Every structure is written in structure tokens, then in C-alpha cells.
Amino acid sequence: MFLTHLFFIYRRLLFIFFAILIIGCNSKRNRIDDDIIHEGGELAQIHCTSCHVFTPPTLLDKDTWQLNVLPRMGRRLGMDHHSILRYPNISPIWQLNEPVMEQEEWEKIVAYFIERSPQKMPQAILPTEPKVDPPMFKVSNFTDSLSGSSIITMLKYDSTSKKVFAADGMTNTLYKLDLNGNVDQKLVLDSPPTDMVLLGNGFDITLPGILHPNNENKGTVLRQQGSMQFNPGSIEVILDSLYRPVRSIYKDFSGDGQSDYIVCEYGNDIGRLTFYRATPSGKFSREVIEEIPGSISMEPYDFNKDGHDDVVVLFAQGDERIVIYYNDGLGNFSADNAKIVARYPAVYGSMFIDLEDFNNDGHMDILYVCGDNFDYSMILKPYHGIRILENDGSDSFIQKYFFSVYGAAKAEVNDFDGDGDLDMMVAANFADMNNNPERGIMYFECTGIYNYTPYSFSAASDNQWNTITTGDFDMDGDLDILVGAMYLQNVLTIQKVNNAEDIEKKRASILLFENTLK
């Protein structure tokens, strides 16, 4: 009996010894793993910030990092193999002769992103749940003349001629519509307009050349003078060899009495922000401000109060940021005389900026819209939405308001309810089509400085929405809104809409939001 008891004690001590040994080994292994992950984070801070601001692992889920983003990121860093990544082909522009790091370092970076990323992205947290269908707007289909499958790349209202100009990327057609939505004229072009300048007795239209991402310099700006009536025979090219231009400003920046052009040549891997100086001959000379892709939105304003308009530019495509380029008074802009006022991670999908004085302090603030999901991380992102950046008077900006809008694309700011403050209408390409498709269009009624009551629209559920314009379309003295669709079949696939045919039957290409204030 004693020997049996002794043997039991011995066996138990032996078990405890091996248990301690195993735990110790596991703890050591875990410490090594933690060290690898920690080192991977430090390496990511070094290598991943060489092109853009640091992107935390928490901004994408594990599958998106592993299947889409890390393989492409690795190829751009010169890494071509990894045990769990499948590397895609990339543009020769990004091919490196030598990798920027050792394979062991890359393995640690990958481990860091995969280990520290969430299994699934969290839902957006809203300060206030949107109400549906505000009584202030009567919503209807503006026109039956354009297909519900249209890709509306531009909407522009001419208050002088009382005409709406709508560009369709499916057919490369510029439509001129009356206020009842009837087609007055249409103009078939080489590519769909992305911007338009109304000249009073004529117009300029910006064409990307090729709408989808590319590195071809086939974009142009066309001009028709003497009439607002489409006359293909009188249209001339005034700017050519542009890299997929998406936004153009026509204004006298040089102070010589002639209007110049600044063009966002978005491009893809290749692009630039360009100043086209007007010359006495009537032509334009090209001066490159920055030889980088991704400029997508911009606005002119005299930020430093020297009497000359500067320009604030939004860049997407990697290094997402907002930059003020200061004008020396002679139309000279450069990266050396510029200020970066905001930077965002490369997955934010920057889309649009607007300038407004939201807090009435005499300094121009910035409305920033992000939500582009046409990339390698096509998931719902809670950081998509609208942000108001307040100017302190010295061109330093701080975020004062954020509201999450999945896939936000563009916004229009105005006093729509006539109470003296600025409201907002927002269009979104990538709403949550499973749970809240009505949030593809949202209205934000201002109830105080940086306070808004949000609304969504049931009519938004039928399509994806991309662009906005305002005007008094019913001629009753208040501002109405038109919102154009960007329908893409892959959007429906991504968001898992189950019955695309039903949506095809009932969706509109342009919605009219008729203001019932008057």
C-alpha cells in the first residue's frame, strides 16, 4: 500500500514536471512568435511608408490582406515568393531589379498584417441612425431616355440655358436634357466626359480617352465656341495627350487676363497634376506641377489671402492626401510651394473634396469624401464616409465631423432647407446592398455647427450612385438635386445582390430630388 502510494506521488510529480516543461516550451515559442510579429510591425512602418502613410492591419480583414493586398504590395517591394501568398502579375512600371528587403523580413511583415488584422471588419458605428425619406424632398425618375445600366460620369446644370448635361460611360454619349428629362440633343464622343466648363456661349468638355484604369495619354479637352447647341463640326481639341483626366479648372491663375487650365490627370500607374498656361496665340503650354498619378478632385481658393487663387487638390491612388498648392501670382505652382494638410491610408478610397465655411469663421474648411471600392479590397469599410476638416486660419486642418457612409463618392453642399446653414447630399457607389441599400443616397440636415440629422432614401436601393448636381429644376425658387447612377455588374456581385434582373427592370439612371420647401 505504501509503495503504491509512493508510486502515485512519483507519477504525479513526473506529470507536473513534463507539464511545466511543455508550458515553458510553449511560452518560449509564443514569445518568439510575438517577437516576430512585433518586428514585422516595425519593418512595416519602415517599408510600407516609403510610398504612403502607414496602413494599420485593422483596416482590412485577414482574407483581403492575404488574398489581394499583400501579394500586390509584395510585388511592388520586389518580393516574388511566399509560402501562403499567390502573387499576381503587375505593371512593368513597378517591377524592381532588386527586392527592397530580405525574404525573412518580408515573411515577418506578412505575419504581422495577417496576425493583427480582424477576421471580419466591424460594422460602422453611427452617431445617429438615419431616418428614411425626409418629407422635404419628392423623389422621382428624372428621365426615361437613359438606360438604368448607364454609368453617369458627369452631371452639369446650365442655369442660363436651363439645360442638364449628362454623360453616359456605357455609350460615350453626352446628353443635353430639358428640365422635364427629355433629350434635346446628344453627342457621341470617343470617351465619356468627366468634366465640363460652361463658357456662356459655348463649352469645354474633358474626356479621359479610356475610362477604365490605364497608362495611356489619350485624354483631351474639347472646345465648342459660339453656341450651346451641339455641332460636332465646330468642336476642336484645345488640350491633348492627357493621362486619363477627371477634373479641370478653367480660370485666370497667371493674372494676364487669359484663363488657364489646371487638370487632374489621374492616370493609373502614370499620371500628373498639370498647369496649362494660356498663350497669346490662343494655345496652351504645359507645365507639370507634380509628376504623380491619382489627382482626382480640386477646388480654387485664395488660402493665403494674397489676392491670387491657389488650388487645393485631393490625391487617391496610393498616397491619399489633400494638398494646397500656392500660386505665386503668375500662375507658378510647384511641390516646393505646397502644403500637405491631410493624409490618409491607401485603402481609404479618396473621391472628392469641396470647400465651404462650415463654422462661419471666415476661413474655408474642407469637406472630404472617401469610399472608392474599385480596388483590391472590395469590402464594406466603416471608415468610408464624409469628414469635415476645419481650417484654423493658417491652413492647418483638424477633423470636426465624421459620418460613415459605405462607398461614399460625391457630395453637394448648400442651404437646401433655407434656414441659413449648410446641408449636404451624399451619393455612394458601394452602399451595403444586403442590409441598408437605401443609404446609397443620404441627406444631412444641419441643425447646428457640426451637428446633422441624417436621412436616407428608399429610392436609392435600386442602383449605385456616383455624381450630383443642383439647380432649381422645377423653377419654384428653391434648390433641387439630381443624382446620377454608376451601375456596374461587378458591384452587384461584390455586394451579393441576388436578383439583378429585378433591379434592371425598375432602376433609374438619374433621380430628381424635388425640394418641397416652396
Side-chain angles (χ1 to χ4, degrees), residues 171-174 186-190:
T171 60
N172 293 344
T173 302
L174 177 64
K186 61 182 180 179
L187 180 64
V188 179
L189 299 155
D190 293 333

Side-chain angles (χ1 to χ4, degrees), residues 113-130:
F113 277 101
I114 293 177
E115 178 66 25
R116 294 294 169 85
S117 56
Q119 198 70 40
K120 182 180 179 181
M121 291 299 292
Q123 291 290 311
I125 299 174
L126 304 181
T128 307
E129 284 295 309

Side-chain angles (χ1 to χ4, degrees), residues 111-250:
Y112 165 71
F113 277 101
I114 293 177
E115 178 66 25
R116 294 294 169 85
S117 56
Q119 198 70 40
K120 182 180 179 181
M121 291 299 292
Q123 291 290 311
I125 299 174
L126 304 181
T128 307
E129 284 295 309
K131 303 175 184 178
V132 182
D133 294 329
M136 180 180 157
F137 292 102
K138 177 184 176 183
V139 186
S140 62
N141 181 10
F142 177 65
T143 180
D144 292 321
S145 301
L146 279 72
S147 166
S149 296
S150 294
I151 298 175
I152 305 300
T153 58
M154 185 204 72
L155 279 176
K156 183 79 72 172
Y157 176 55
D158 180 15
S159 59
T160 302
S161 65
K162 303 294 189 294
K163 301 295 182 183
V164 173
F165 295 89
D168 180 11
M170 289 291 291
T171 60
N172 293 344
T173 302
L174 177 64
Y175 291 90
K176 182 171 29 170
L177 307 167
D178 64 23
L179 296 185
N180 293 314
N182 300 312
V183 175
D184 185 56
Q185 276 188 298
K186 61 182 180 179
L187 180 64
V188 179
L189 299 155
D190 293 333
S191 60
T194 51
D195 206 352
M196 186 173 190
V197 174
L198 301 172
L199 302 175
N201 196 23
F203 55 85
D204 292 349
I205 46 178
T206 300
L207 304 182
I210 302 171
L211 185 60
H212 63 263
N214 70 94
N215 294 319
E216 302 293 325
N217 61 339
K218 296 183 177 180
T220 55
V221 174
L222 308 181
R223 171 167 291 176
Q224 178 181 293
Q225 298 187 84
S227 174
M228 294 300 292
Q229 289 291 106
F230 293 161
N231 182 6
S234 67
I235 294 177
E236 62 175 334
V237 178
I238 61 169
L239 300 177
D240 62 12
S241 302
L242 310 180
Y243 289 101
R244 198 159 64 127
V246 295
R247 174 80 169 98
S248 302
I249 296 176
Y250 185 57

Side-chain angles (χ1 to χ4, degrees), residues 321-337:
R321 64 202 185 282
I322 302 172
V323 184
I324 296 175
Y325 294 89
Y326 295 99
N327 183 0
D328 70 352
L330 299 176
N332 297 310
F333 299 89
S334 73
D336 294 331
N337 189 24

